[in-house]
Amino acid sequence: MQGRLFILGLGPGDPELMTLKAARILREARHVAFFAKAGRMGHARGIVADLLSPTAEELRFEYPFTTEVALEHPSYAARMGEFYARCAATLATRMDAGQNIALLCEGDAFLYGSAMYLFDRLRDEYTVEIIPGVAGMSGCWSRAQTPIAHGDDVLSVLPGTLDAASLLARLQRCDAAVIMKIGRNLPKIRAVLEQAGLLSRAVYVERGSMEGERIMPLAALADASAPYFAMVLVPGRQHNR
Ligand SMILES: C[S@@+](CC[C@H](N)C(=O)[O-])C[C@H]1O[C@@H](n2cnc3c(N)ncnc32)[C@H](O)[C@@H]1O
């Protein structure tokens, strides 16, 4: 019988923020796949470090780039496409052999998650079950004690990789925002928030709910760049009720 793929959203980092369903599937999993950067454990793999069965087989999908490559770089899409096709083929071979596989994803898998590219390639021929996770942004605004959207506030979720003009235009049209993928985009994001008059409201969250968590007003952050696992929250209009 053909095996199935379980795409597990594991939440923002604290293992206790995982759903009961994800935890059960994980405990039962005999084959576990995850993405990782070269030389790193893999963020999702780190979340489950204490939960994984010691006898589970681990399939590590290592990204082809060791440093961040700009999305618009001509080779980026092609090389990532080949990488995702190879990962999907590996999972397909395993499922053809009857194996069930748990694919680990941090946060929610369908929010800027790599698992979506495998889902797109496998969904027509295989049974795939998606287990939703607490999104990273939800973990971050909870840890930062920052209610994000009230009443008829419009919340925008923006990748910090957007160019400055696009970021500014988007920020000017919303009441509340979450800016993800900070990294080396930090100076640009800070400058745009200042231009939009939002810097004083912006909260910086690094590694929310994980070891090494840092939370502070963005205006107070002296660093010139941020790690990949950082986001900026701009809470909405704080309506009184
Ligand atoms: C490729 S996206 C994956 C998002 C993930 N699927 C989710 O549901 O949050 C990675 C980005 O998510 C954000 N992120 C996710 N979890 C985070 C956390 N616990 N603390 C800070 N940022 C986080 C960061 O902005 C990071 O650059």
Side-chain angles (χ1 to χ4, degrees):
M1 202 173 81
Q2 195 182 60
R4 290 188 293 163
L5 177 63
F6 296 90
I7 297 183
L8 302 187
L10 299 173
D14 176 352
E16 286 197 306
L17 296 177
M18 193 181 304
T19 64
L20 294 175
K21 190 161 186 170
R24 175 184 57 76
I25 292 171
L26 196 63
R27 273 197 308 274
E28 294 169 357
R30 295 179 52 207
H31 308 277
V32 169
F34 58 92
F35 293 98
K37 286 184 181 169
R40 303 273 182 86
M41 177 193 252
H43 184 64
R45 173 66 180 77
I47 296 174
V48 304
D50 294 335
L51 302 173
L52 211 55
S53 158
T55 58
E57 180 199 18
E58 298 189 29
L59 302 170
R60 180 184 162 90
F61 295 147
E62 200 163 285
Y63 291 112
F65 299 109
T66 47
T67 53
E68 275 179 61
V69 174
L71 290 177
E72 63 276 11
H73 192 280
S75 68
Y76 182 86
R79 285 190 59 194
M80 289 306 285
E82 288 163 17
F83 167 66
Y84 289 130
R86 275 199 308 276
C87 299
T90 300
L91 296 185
T93 305
R94 299 307 192 100
M95 289 190 282
D96 287 340
Q99 295 179 2
N100 291 331
I101 300 168
L103 176 60
L104 312 180
C105 310
E106 59 87 21
D108 185 278
F110 278 7
L111 184 70
Y112 298 120
S114 294
M116 294 186 292
Y117 303 109
L118 306 196
F119 172 73
D120 290 343
R121 286 169 168 84
L122 294 166
R123 63 184 299 180
D124 291 340
E125 291 179 48
Y126 296 90
T127 305
V128 184
E129 190 174 342
I130 297 101
I131 315 302
V134 174
M137 60 184 167
S138 175
C140 287
W141 65 55
S142 300
R143 288 295 304 156
Q145 305 206 337
T146 300
I148 197 82
H150 307 68
D152 56 1
D153 278 348
V154 173
L155 168 66
S156 285
V157 179
L158 306 170
T161 45
L162 289 180
D163 62 75
S166 308
L167 260 183
L168 181 63
R170 301 274 181 181
L171 285 167
Q172 284 169 334
R173 294 191 61 207
C174 64
D175 305 299
V178 172
I179 308 177
M180 298 170 65
K181 305 185 182 186
I182 308 297
R184 62 187 172 198
N185 300 297
L186 181 64
K188 172 186 66 186
I189 293 166
R190 197 178 353 225
V192 168
L193 284 165
E194 187 150 32
Q195 212 179 333
L198 295 171
L199 185 58
S200 60
R201 243 158 76 192
V203 179
Y204 172 79
V205 184
E206 182 178 309
R207 301 181 59 79
S209 86
M210 303 174 231
E211 207 180 306
E213 175 187 85
R214 286 171 82 203
I215 301 174
M216 68 186 77
L218 179 61
L221 180 72
D223 309 14
S225 70
Y228 184 67
F229 271 92
M231 69 172 69
V232 172
L233 308 171
V234 182
R237 288 175 289 170
Q238 316 285 322
H239 294 293
N240 289 324
R241 284 278 155 86

